[in-house]
Amino acid sequence: ETGVTQTPRHLVMGMTNKKSLKCEQHLGHNAMYWYKQSAKKPLELMFVYNFKEQTENNSVPSRFSPECPNSSHLFLHLHTLQPEDSALYLCASSQDSTYGYTFGSGTRLTVV
Amino acid sequence: GESVGLHLPTLSVQEGDNSIINCAYSNSASDYFIWYKQESGKGPQFIIDIRSNMDKRQGQRVTVLLNKTVKHLSLQIAATQPGDSAVYFCAETTGNAGNMLTFGGGTRLMVKP
């Protein structure tokens, strides 16, 4: 365990479903991130939260909706996704740029 | 735009040999660099980092070299083991970017027994 826990580990959903991904960090960090990892592509930053405030939305479609109720929890709400949204979704946290990010194990999402 | 990239997508080495994974970056203002290892089914895991005021840093079996002149970063793994098989990412950031890391495309290291 890295201190960043993601659930569920695997998720299969239909294009009309609504689901949520959860991330929890036990490291006392003040920043949390959502990344998308597709095959043969670099990690794509989706959202950044600093002290619970969203500071970055990297041109992500509105069918992805983040929520950060406190500095330890981060959600990614999903609705009406497309098959091309199938990917590994990674959550990360950091205190500042001095130490880099700690990643969770990811949620493997398949949209059918 | 600024980018971080890797020279080789796949590297195959014999167990016991040394491995060298390379990374080029384009932002001359980058001052902090990290190598991550991602095993199958897991998230990226921190291996080693280096700041721009250094050109070499050593860990356990790993060494990171930074050449700021040519904007090149490398990860050396000594006596490569089967457990080293993974995808390796470099990442960089600048002080001005705050916490934002830019990741390279990744290199897959395959260790042959």
Side-chain angles (χ1 to χ4, degrees), chain B residues 42-85:
Chain B
K42 297 183 179 180
Q45 183 179 14
F46 174 94
I47 302 174
I48 191 168
D49 60 358
I50 189 168
R51 294 205 168 272
S52 59
N53 60 352
M54 303 173 69
D55 53 20
K56 180 179 180 179
R57 190 161 187 228
Q58 288 184 293
Q60 186 176 14
R61 283 199 308 117
V62 295
T63 301
V64 55
L65 298 177
L66 175 63
N67 186 330
K68 294 180 287 293
T69 302
V70 295
K71 296 196 282 290
H72 184 268
L73 190 70
S74 68
L75 177 69
Q76 300 179 358
I77 304 174
T80 312
Q81 302 170 359
D84 295 326
S85 294

Side-chain angles (χ1 to χ4, degrees), chain B:
Chain B
E2 302 292 1
S3 65
V4 177
L6 295 173
H7 292 302
L8 299 173
T10 303
L11 177 65
S12 185
V13 299
Q14 202 71 38
E15 181 178 358
D17 287 352
N18 296 333
S19 302
I20 300 176
I21 300 172
N22 297 303
C23 179
Y25 64 96
S26 57
N27 187 353
S28 56
S30 296
D31 60 4
Y32 180 54
F33 305 86
I34 307 172
W35 280 101
Y36 285 92
K37 172 186 180 183
Q38 186 174 19
E39 297 175 271
S40 180
K42 297 183 179 180
Q45 183 179 14
F46 174 94
I47 302 174
I48 191 168
D49 60 358
I50 189 168
R51 294 205 168 272
S52 59
N53 60 352
M54 303 173 69
D55 53 20
K56 180 179 180 179
R57 190 161 187 228
Q58 288 184 293
Q60 186 176 14
R61 283 199 308 117
V62 295
T63 301
V64 55
L65 298 177
L66 175 63
N67 186 330
K68 294 180 287 293
T69 302
V70 295
K71 296 196 282 290
H72 184 268
L73 190 70
S74 68
L75 177 69
Q76 300 179 358
I77 304 174
T80 312
Q81 302 170 359
D84 295 326
S85 294
V87 176
Y88 290 80
F89 295 92
C90 63
E92 57 88 16
T93 188
T94 68
N96 291 335
N99 296 338
M100 306 301 295
L101 285 177
T102 300
F103 288 88
T107 291
R108 181 173 299 281
L109 176 65
M110 300 175 63
V111 182
K112 295 177 289 186

Side-chain angles (χ1 to χ4, degrees), chain A residues 19-23 32-36 45-50 52-70 73-79 81 89-92:
Chain A
K19 297 287 184 182
S20 296
L21 310 185
K22 180 182 176 181
C23 177
M32 296 186 77
Y33 313 80
W34 280 117
Y35 276 87
K36 177 183 178 181
L45 178 66
M46 300 176 73
F47 301 103
V48 181
Y49 279 83
N50 265 296
K52 303 186 302 178
E53 298 296 322
Q54 185 176 312
T55 59
E56 191 83 16
N57 177 341
N58 214 25
S59 302
V60 180
S62 59
R63 58 185 183 270
F64 295 91
S65 175
E67 179 189 1
C68 188
N70 55 62
H73 294 84
L74 186 64
F75 295 90
L76 187 63
H77 304 300
L78 316 170
H79 65 97
L81 295 192
Y89 288 84
L90 289 161
C91 173

